[in-house]
Amino acid sequence: MELIFVSHGQAEHTMKEPVNYEMESPGLTRLGIRQAERLRTALPLTEQDAVIVSPTERTLQTAQIWCKGTDALRFVHPLIGPRQFPLQYDFQTFRCDRTLELNQLREQYSQFLPAPEVPEYIWLQGINTVPALLFNTWSTAFLSWCERLEKRRVYMVSHHGTISSYLQTITGTPWNQHSPVDDLDWIPLSV
């Protein structure tokens, strides 16, 4: 299986950092929409692919635009939700990183199935500030679930901090978060 981590398109809250971190459910900017549209050409999807998305407005918008008209399997999963990187142990989540509730997901993004067998407390708590040991346990379970999908490629549309945390966990080496870019980026890993 090939895992490909895809960062969401440019979002509204990144326009005036850190003031806009208190913005509730920021969506994509015009540039972010164009970036998501370019994914269709850069990373075309087929029925052999799965797209798993963080439960935030900006990641879901990115994936919705990218997946339009494809037969890719689509899930939303809290275990790739926003995550601080490096972890600050302050247990505070910025408003921009609060995830959508299950009922909102079902109403607004019904083409993305909520991942099955995820305890409600994980949907509510998310992974933003959970301790590293707990994150490692949950991320291992999440990656096993991805393998059970039996897809050739599994794309994860997420956030820079989350991607960095997963890469560190998977590779077992400290990971330096790459700086935000003006364009979408993705990182493939074979597992």
Side-chain angles (χ1 to χ4, degrees):
M1 168 182 73
E2 185 176 18
L3 290 177
I4 298 137
F5 294 92
V6 179
S7 63
H8 61 76
Q10 184 188 67
E12 298 165 323
H13 71 295
T14 62
M15 303 309 296
K16 284 187 181 178
E17 297 176 9
V19 173
N20 284 353
Y21 287 172
E22 289 305 316
M23 180 183 285
E24 188 80 35
S25 294
L28 295 178
T29 63
R30 283 190 210 138
L31 174 60
I33 292 168
R34 288 194 307 274
Q35 291 170 336
E37 289 168 343
R38 283 197 303 262
L39 277 174
R40 289 190 214 144
T41 304
L43 299 172
L45 298 170
T46 71
E47 69 281 344
Q48 296 177 13
D49 301 321
V51 176
I52 305 169
V53 187
S54 164
T56 63
E57 195 76 38
R58 58 196 179 269
T59 51
L60 285 155
Q61 287 176 346
T62 299
Q64 184 176 52
I65 293 166
W66 177 26
C67 290
K68 187 176 182 178
T70 73
D71 293 324
L73 185 60
R74 303 166 197 178
F75 286 101
V76 60
H77 205 302
L79 292 182
I80 59 166
R83 179 155 177 81
Q84 294 178 355
F85 188 88
L87 190 60
Q88 298 172 19
Y89 296 104
D90 61 2
F91 299 103
Q92 293 184 14
T93 299
F94 289 119
R95 288 175 61 132
C96 65
D97 285 338
R98 292 182 188 155
T99 59
L100 298 175
E101 295 179 11
L102 274 171
N103 62 339
Q104 292 174 294
L105 294 169
R106 288 185 179 110
E107 289 173 17
Q108 298 171 25
Y109 296 97
S110 59
Q111 69 273 35
F112 292 92
L113 301 170
E117 301 174 19
V118 176
E120 187 175 353
Y121 70 88
I122 293 178
W123 284 102
L124 295 171
Q125 178 180 352
I127 61 169
N128 198 312
T129 61
V130 298
L133 185 60
L134 185 55
F135 173 76
N136 290 341
T137 300
W138 287 355
S139 63
T140 299
F142 170 74
L143 293 170
S144 294
W145 176 78
C146 290
E147 286 182 34
R148 289 192 303 275
L149 294 175
E150 297 182 351
K151 294 294 183 177
R152 188 174 65 176
R153 288 179 302 261
V154 176
Y155 294 94
M156 292 182 242
V157 182
S158 194
H159 315 264
H160 285 282
T162 309
I163 293 168
S164 296
S165 294
Y166 267 95
L167 291 172
Q168 185 168 287
T169 298
I170 291 168
T171 64
T173 58
W175 188 265
N176 294 326
Q177 179 179 5
H178 53 286
S179 53
V181 291
D182 264 348
D183 212 343
L184 278 176
D185 59 358
W186 51 86
I187 301 170
L189 271 180
S190 290
V191 292

